[in-house]
Amino acid sequence: MSLPRFADMHARGEKIVMLTAYDATFAAVADAAGVECLLVGDSLGMVCQGLDTTVGVSLETMRYHTESVARGLRRVQGTAWLIADLPFGSYHASPEQALRSATELMQAGAHMVKLEGGGWTSDTVRFLVERGIPVCAHLGLTPQTVHALGGYRVQGRGSEAAALLRQQAHALQDAGAAMLVLEMVSAALATQLTGELKRCATIGIGAGRGTAGQVLVLHDMLGVGLGKMPRFVRNFMADTPGITQALQAYVRAVKDGSFPDDQVHAW
Ligand code: KIV
């Protein structure tokens, strides 16, 4: 996979399938199942490390898991695009700090880095993109700032909040972000943004079926977790005999638009 390939899919309306991965074996299995984009998400803090939030995840941990996933892909000559999350505190001080952190993750095997938030992040996105580092932005529910947001709740509600989110999304596109994760925003707002952002593919998680692609946390879609599953998750293991089949079912459901179901998984 490559950025021009994603841009072409976005333009043609073919859905982009993204899933988190944290280790070599799952990366290889997901790649073989047809997942086009693997995200080494800092959600690993919660699903692998048992943390309450993603705030405690370090750059060193992200580098370790990115290397593992990249090795898994290399072992099977996988073609998935590999995105790694810049963790909390690794890009906030300055664009230069972001460049140093992003460099570590790119050298660990990432093709793109993801960072959370709008407003001040646009300058950082531009700084990285100008230096040859592809960037995926992340708006809506941004888990690294869950304490500031007051909990895991739907974002962009009300005309003022929606207008701010829209303005931030356009600024991130203008800064060069090639992808934008929209987490827990209304399906209507996500669909509107997807139509407006021609140079930036929206990837939804709890944002309805109108986005250019979908992402889920691997453990969630396999139906294993330590807490309550968010409403936007479907357990793809429920009707399948094994993990490979569940991953294939996820790929099919995103591609044919049957997941997510806006009546069930969205707001
Ligand atoms: O960390 C992560 O896994 C993420 C996804 C939920 C989008 O950011």
Side-chain angles (χ1 to χ4, degrees), residues 7-75:
D8 177 56
M9 289 169 71
H10 180 32
R12 285 186 293 103
E14 180 182 344
K15 299 285 184 188
I16 297 166
V17 186
M18 187 187 293
L19 186 65
T20 67
Y22 315 107
D23 66 33
T25 305
F26 271 104
V29 170
D31 179 85
V35 175
E36 292 149 334
C37 202
L38 293 177
L39 169 65
V40 185
D42 60 359
S43 51
L44 64 83
M46 294 159 93
V47 298
C48 302
Q49 296 181 293
L51 301 173
D52 288 336
T53 72
T54 59
V55 174
V57 177
S58 70
L59 184 61
E60 173 54 25
T61 300
M62 291 307 302
R63 194 183 58 75
Y64 172 87
H65 286 274
T66 302
E67 276 175 354
S68 303
V69 168
R71 258 185 239 120
L73 284 178
R74 270 200 304 277
R75 283 275 293 271

Side-chain angles (χ1 to χ4, degrees), residues 20 22 39 41-43 85 114 116 138 181 183 205 215 217:
T20 67
Y22 315 107
L39 169 65
D42 60 359
S43 51
D85 260 340
K114 177 164 83 60
E116 295 185 6
H138 184 157
V181 168
E183 181 163 355
I205 173 163
V215 61
V217 168

